[in-house]
Amino acid sequence: MNFSEFQNRSRLYVIGALEPEELEEFEKARKKFGKKAEDFITKCYALHEAFALSLRPAKASGAIKDRLMAMVRGKKEA
Amino acid sequence: MRPTKLIASTRRKPKKRVRLAKSRARPLTVAPQLEPGAPSDLDLMRGIQAEDPDALSQLYDRYNGILKALILRVIHNEAEADDLLQEIFMEIWNQAKNFSAQKGKPLGWMVTLARRRAIDGLRKKQAYARAEERLKNETEQQPDAWVHNTTEEEILLSDTRALIRKVIKSLPPAQQQAIDLAFFKGMSQREIAAKTNTPLGTVKTRLELGLKKIYDGLKELRDEL
């Protein structure tokens, strides 16, 4: 696998769309390309951020935050 | 729905041009703009790592809408989405120590975590069949799934969202659909092939081309803006 193919696979990898047989080959290439590969995979995670930001924000129930903060403070005090 | 969409599409070009021109005047990244003096996401993550509940509270205020939208897109159930949102922010609190700024931005980390939890939740609650049915109905009503529930005016509320959507909407519908099913439904290539009655190789090509175009588009936006 050359680096250009690795880049294509990386974008599939970060969204969890690699098939098991592709994953094995991908991991081998990942080792082969080392830091360059890790840096590129990190960049690909920007896709996650972009997909989430492409959605219109939804309103959460006001009670959720109250419950969350009560749990967090309770846990911290425990 | 359809008339609104048609009206929106006739207005789209001039309005977007105005907004894009405005956006060029100030730095823009994929992440939303913050108020001057507001702590950065990284500052808040560091606060959470130091067990400061106020930092979590601020991060919640900043991103609960985006994460809730993501969860809703996966599980299509308001009450379950709220419950999951709470669990996800609790996990952010509990797992904050595992966050590393070298490996990416806080929002990316949170979205990855939320997406994983939402897809797990979808499968665990065996709501898959019901959600698939709803998805099928939605897809039949509106093949361009990213346009779902959104008017042009709403898009213009956010420069970031409008720009990202512009990139996504530039893809052929088949590529959008493949990415939508992979990212928001957690489907494998084989599952997408079966669902869309498309050869596996075609699904792979659609995903690869679509993701590359989005990735390159985002890069161009960052470089340009």
Side-chain angles (χ1 to χ4, degrees):
Chain A
M1 191 187 296
N2 62 32
F3 194 66
S4 171
E5 287 165 337
F6 177 80
Q7 286 176 313
N8 278 335
R9 297 283 173 94
S10 296
R11 287 183 277 261
L12 291 174
Y13 170 78
V14 297
I15 65 162
L18 281 182
E19 293 294 322
E21 64 274 14
E22 292 175 321
L23 197 57
E24 204 177 310
E25 204 188 342
F26 175 80
E27 291 297 351
K28 276 184 199 160
R30 185 177 181 166
K31 270 191 188 158
K32 183 177 92 177
F33 293 117
K35 189 178 180 312
K36 192 174 154 191
E38 296 307 320
D39 288 348
F40 187 77
I41 292 170
T42 299
K43 281 186 195 163
C44 287
Y45 276 102
L47 285 167
H48 280 216
E49 205 180 305
F51 290 142
L53 289 170
S54 74
L55 302 173
R56 181 164 58 97
K59 194 170 161 45
S61 150
I64 298 298
K65 187 177 176 190
D66 296 341
R67 286 210 303 260
L68 172 73
M69 296 317 294
M71 283 168 70
V72 165
R73 291 201 168 95
K75 197 171 174 189
K76 203 183 166 195
E77 281 162 19
Chain B
M1 282 302 282
R2 211 164 275 289
T4 310
K5 198 180 162 194
L6 285 172
I7 291 164
S9 62
T10 57
R11 288 181 188 162
R12 192 162 293 145
K13 280 188 178 173
K15 282 197 174 183
K16 270 195 174 173
R17 232 180 341 250
V18 172
R19 299 295 289 187
L20 284 169
K22 266 186 167 179
S23 300
R24 284 190 187 99
R26 60 176 196 265
L28 185 87
T29 64
V30 173
Q33 296 294 303
L34 298 178
E35 296 282 322
S40 69
D41 292 351
L42 191 55
D43 292 336
L44 294 178
M45 278 307 294
R46 286 187 180 134
I48 295 169
Q49 285 172 333
E51 300 192 353
D52 173 10
D54 195 47
L56 184 72
S57 170
Q58 288 186 63
L59 202 70
Y60 179 92
D61 291 342
R62 195 172 287 172
Y63 291 120
N64 76 83
I66 289 170
L67 295 187
K68 168 97 184 267
L70 171 68
I71 300 163
L72 260 180
R73 187 61 179 269
V74 176
I75 64 172
H76 297 263
N77 181 298
E78 191 75 30
E80 286 174 10
D82 274 341
D83 287 346
L84 207 47
L85 183 72
Q86 183 189 317
E87 285 175 26
I88 287 162
F89 272 97
M90 200 63 217
E91 193 171 340
I92 290 169
W93 176 260
N94 290 329
Q95 300 294 323
K97 288 184 179 71
N98 297 330
F99 168 77
S100 160
Q102 271 107 39
K103 290 185 181 169
K105 291 187 206 158
L107 178 59
W109 181 73
M110 291 191 295
V111 168
T112 303
L113 193 151
R115 174 183 176 256
R116 196 194 65 227
R117 285 295 301 265
I119 290 171
D120 284 353
L122 177 71
R123 288 174 175 158
K124 251 186 235 161
K125 288 171 188 171
Q126 298 185 318
Y128 211 170
R130 279 181 290 131
E132 269 204 318
E133 189 55 39
R134 288 188 201 112
L135 176 73
K136 193 180 154 210
N137 293 338
E138 282 167 18
T139 309
E140 279 165 5
Q141 285 161 15
Q142 202 173 49
D144 182 3
W146 254 294
V147 180
H148 175 64
N149 265 351
T150 309
T151 64
E152 183 67 8
E153 285 68 26
E154 285 162 349
I155 291 172
L156 293 174
L157 289 175
S158 155
D159 283 353
T160 306
R161 186 160 25 115
L163 291 168
I164 293 170
R165 290 173 71 91
K166 184 173 172 250
V167 173
I168 291 168
K169 285 174 72 181
S170 70
L171 303 184
Q175 289 178 14
Q176 288 188 40
Q177 187 194 33
I179 294 170
D180 187 48
L181 292 172
F183 186 77
F184 291 110
K185 302 295 160 200
M187 285 188 185
S188 68
Q189 293 174 49
R190 281 195 174 85
E191 286 169 325
I192 297 169
K195 181 169 179 57
T196 58
N197 201 20
T198 307
L200 183 61
T202 307
V203 170
K204 186 181 170 61
T205 306
R206 285 176 182 171
L207 284 171
E208 284 188 353
L209 289 176
L211 289 170
K212 185 174 187 324
K213 279 185 216 161
I214 295 174
Y215 181 87
D216 290 345
L218 294 173
K219 221 167 79 180
E220 272 173 31
L221 284 177
R222 282 209 199 96
D223 293 345
E224 184 188 345
L225 301 164

